[in-house]
Amino acid sequence: MSGLIALIGGNEFRRECEPMDRALLARLGVAPKIVIVPTAAAHENPRLAAENGVRYFRRLGAQAEAALVVDADTARQASRVEQIRPAGLIYFTGGDPVYLLETLVATPAWQAALDVLRRGGAIAGSSAGAMVCGGQMWSPGRGWRAGLGLVPHVAVIPHHATLAARWNAERMRATLPAEITLVGIDEATALIGSSRNWQVIGSGAVVVYRGESTAIFKEGQDVRL
């Protein structure tokens, strides 16, 4: 994959996220077309989630529209897939990670997003959107399951300042396969990069649980995963 991946801790499209997202847009160079995909919010109000994202990025000076991929049918619908293909940045919102994973896996919509990345574009996922990108994804009450594998050697705890204690990050680490690194990402914070080379942007911290050690990284710091 030749493009940029952004794993975001959550609280997307809010004022506190603006410095983070301006930094992300700057990394992408010439203003990309941004497509908001609100699949994870399908059981809440996906249209509102998408509208919030479109308004937010337009306020930042970017082109933005929504692709309402909300179920298995729309994930295979040609018109929705064609909305995704020309994008420079695909943005998966927060919501229900299990629903997002099960809706997207092995679909034309997800393949179109991967094609954007291969062309040098970007995929961003916030909260649930970040979780599904890992090689493993935590399902509260059920444990680990395979994610979409966009970042195969990583598993993500979003909203880290809140969920690390609630989900018991140490237990999560202990039950992960040895080759997977557990990464906690605070709200309004992103880990951006590709392959093994990453950097923190945003107002919070990224916590890397590797083996028996824990390391904390702040904005501007490089992270090797």
Side-chain angles (χ1 to χ4, degrees), residues 7 127 130-131 134 136 138 144 154-158 167 172 182-183 185:
L7 304 174
S127 191
M131 292 175 70
Q136 291 285 306
W138 184 253
W144 295 109
V154 163
V156 174
I157 305 175
W167 287 0
M172 292 171 71
L182 182 62
V183 177
I185 307 173

